[in-house]
Amino acid sequence: MSSGASFYITTPIFYPSDVPHIGHGYTEVAADVLARWHRQSGDDTWLLTGTDEHGQKMLRTASANDMTPREWADRLVESSWLPLLDTLDIANDDFIRTTQERHETSAAAFLQHLYDTGFIYTGDYEGYYCVGCEEYKQPSELVPGTGPFEGELVCAIHSKPVELLQERNYFFRMSEFQDRLLALYEERPDFVQPESARNEVMSFVRQGLADLSISRSSFDWGIQIPWDPQHVVYVWFDALLNYITAIGYGRDDENFRRRWPGIQLVGKDILRFHAVIWPAMLMAAGLDVPKHVFAHGWLLVGGEKMSKSKLTGIAPSQITDVFGSDAFRYYFMRSITFGQDGSFSWEDLSARYQAELANGFGNLASRVVAMITRYFDGRVPEPGALAEADERIRATVATAAAEADAAIERFAIHEAIGAIWAIVEELNGYITEQEPWVLAKKPEQRERLSTVLYTAAEGLRALTVLLSPVMPASTAKLWSALGAEATLGPLLEQPLREAGTWGRLPAGATVSALEALFPRIEQEAGVGAAR
Ligand code: MSP
């Protein structure tokens, strides 16, 4: 299934200075849903995620814990960041760590190339730096501190003092790329998405770009500058390169050509790095810029960006332990317009779990399987001629599949799920109207009953395929309970772009018992104890 177009998508690489929270999980799930959708559509798909292990934040956290940064990164990656992928059922194809040799070698080759072609020069940097952001700051980005930091200038994001740097550094000639970047945003309006992100980036670049300091010499935790080992590469310059080093830049040209350019999915707080610095770096190296940079919004808790440092961090497992990974994936993808901020609350999660997953989807699945078991000895019946109501289901399925695919192309994951959910709603209404339990009492209605239950099962077949990128665990159970695994083969091999074609589930398929897909959750466990 990999002869199609290349679809290479990445998440940001995360700082393993701390453990993951649901904001990190959110990005992982979004990237995974898009990747699963494309993979199952036959596109040549590759999902990359990983960890960003250099820089002062890592160095300081490690020494505060009496460890070397390498030991600290190893510990956090093993105990928290890799397990996160299991917790959330992420089917990533690769996991890059910036301390891996493959990354260091390719990153050094990239730098040397920029140096040799004159895009890097020596200069003096004097200015502010926020270690929390790992970012050089303009005075306009600072605010007066309060409490213990009264009288000092602090970072507006971290509310902690910034540091004044005075160093002889290497600089990247970023200012040379201002016009080309503006032309890029103009000519390819979908390069930065959503529209609000594009506008922000354009007005930022129009104000003028300065050259960027890309090395540090006051500490040594980083990739050495190949021609001057007294310096290490600035952590963002190093980190951004992961998107190409992981696919073989400078080492495996064939694979690099196969995958690149890719799509960078990021949170809106790191948009400028990805939509300004990153394409300028690529332009300087003579490489293609990404296909798209998509910035998603923040998860808000109590109206503020959820963060560990503000003590509002929620671990993904706090949710999955109670509701399961599918519910986590569904909830965040469905309830938040992708690209905008969204508020998280346990009450909203519980309510949607109950109404949409347990009562809406789960119950529909169990009823259909149970009725086929009871009325047809567990064999999917042969349908007769379709009546108007049955045709409506067939049309709903075709429309939902087409709309969902179009929405995914636009990164509108929430719309795709909304379109698919029309099948859940129509099928539930259909069963209520058709009353198969009444038909079952009338022998002369046997053919009608067959048609109704075939229509319901075939609708579920399409629904299962369409929902599999979002809820891989429950759809896998339903797929086998519908007898589809045995007749049509593995769920993940069902071509997604053909999911809306009617009549795939063969009559005669054997259904089997289905445990509740979304079991009832005791109120205390869901809302109280999980906090
Ligand atoms: N290491 C850099 C990224 C380098 S990419 C070349 C970094 N790491 S991070 O661990 O701090 O954050 C990674 C991602 O998590 C960012 O995209 C950020 O937007 C996202 N989130 C952090 N808190 C978030 C929320 N509360 N909500 C949604 N996403 C959030 O930055």
Side-chain angles (χ1 to χ4, degrees), residues 159-477:
S159 311
K160 292 213 182 113
V162 288
E163 302 180 16
L164 185 63
L165 303 186
Q166 250 180 329
E167 283 184 16
R168 193 154 182 78
N169 291 338
Y170 288 99
F171 281 75
F172 168 52
R173 295 190 193 279
M174 194 159 71
S175 58
E176 286 187 13
F177 294 92
Q178 178 171 350
D179 293 343
R180 280 181 67 185
L181 286 169
L182 287 171
L184 168 68
Y185 310 139
E186 286 292 348
E187 283 157 22
R188 285 173 43 188
D190 64 353
F191 174 69
V192 182
Q193 294 186 55
E195 185 68 20
S196 54
R198 174 177 180 247
N199 293 339
E200 185 212 305
V201 165
M202 286 181 79
S203 63
F204 174 75
V205 174
R206 278 202 199 102
Q207 286 164 21
L209 290 182
D211 288 345
L212 178 72
S213 160
I214 56 154
S215 76
R216 300 292 305 276
S217 55
S218 51
F219 58 91
D220 66 358
W221 177 238
I223 299 179
Q224 284 181 352
I225 293 280
W227 61 90
D228 185 351
Q230 297 305 309
H231 289 249
V232 293
V233 181
Y234 166 45
V235 63
W236 266 102
F237 212 80
D238 159 355
L240 287 163
L241 288 170
N242 91 89
Y243 304 129
I244 58 171
T245 62
I247 51 166
Y249 170 81
R251 304 185 321 274
D252 181 349
D253 291 345
E254 192 185 327
N255 194 55
F256 181 69
R257 275 197 304 273
R258 172 176 173 185
R259 303 280 175 214
W260 193 254
I263 296 167
Q264 265 76 76
L265 199 67
V266 302
K268 65 180 186 182
D269 50 330
I270 56 172
L271 173 65
R272 284 186 199 168
F273 294 99
H274 286 84
V276 181
I277 302 179
W278 178 225
M281 288 165 68
L282 291 161
M283 285 173 179
L287 298 172
D288 286 341
V289 299
K291 279 188 193 143
H292 310 284
V293 173
F294 187 97
H296 66 67
W298 285 337
L299 299 190
L300 308 175
V301 172
E304 268 200 60
K305 179 184 180 213
M306 190 206 53
S307 85
K308 277 289 280 194
S309 54
K310 300 239 159 99
L311 299 178
T312 47
I314 299 168
S317 58
Q318 282 178 267
I319 292 180
T320 57
D321 285 351
V322 179
F323 295 91
S325 58
D326 275 8
F328 182 108
R329 296 169 63 99
Y330 171 82
Y331 173 69
F332 287 109
M333 292 300 109
R334 171 88 200 249
S335 67
I336 300 174
T337 298
F338 197 53
Q340 292 179 13
D341 292 349
S343 295
F344 169 78
S345 77
W346 289 100
E347 289 74 12
D348 188 36
L349 167 61
S350 292
R352 280 185 180 263
Y353 178 89
Q354 199 51 44
E356 293 163 23
L357 293 179
N359 299 345
F361 174 42
N363 200 21
L364 168 70
S366 348
R367 283 164 88 198
V368 173
V369 169
M371 287 189 284
I372 294 175
T373 306
R374 189 168 330 128
Y375 305 139
F376 290 95
D377 248 353
R379 292 300 185 97
V380 172
E382 185 84 49
L386 299 195
E388 203 192 313
D390 319 325
E391 289 288 3
R392 249 202 332 271
I393 296 295
R394 177 182 167 142
T396 300
V397 163
T399 309
E403 285 182 1
D405 193 44
I408 292 286
E409 282 303 313
R410 289 181 281 112
F411 296 93
I413 305 176
H414 57 290
E415 275 180 37
I417 301 176
I420 298 168
W421 223 254
I423 305 178
V424 175
E425 278 151 15
E426 284 286 325
L427 273 181
N428 271 323
Y430 173 81
I431 290 172
T432 309
E433 272 168 31
Q434 300 298 316
E435 300 183 310
W437 47 91
V438 175
L439 298 175
K441 291 194 185 123
K442 303 179 182 157
E444 74 281 10
Q445 295 282 15
R446 188 76 182 159
E447 187 179 323
R448 183 65 203 140
L449 179 64
S450 304
T451 309
V452 168
L453 287 184
Y454 180 83
T455 302
E458 170 60 2
L460 272 186
R461 187 275 315 154
L463 184 60
T464 308
V465 175
L466 290 167
L467 283 177
S468 66
V470 183
M471 296 192 276
S474 51
T475 50
K477 285 185 202 154

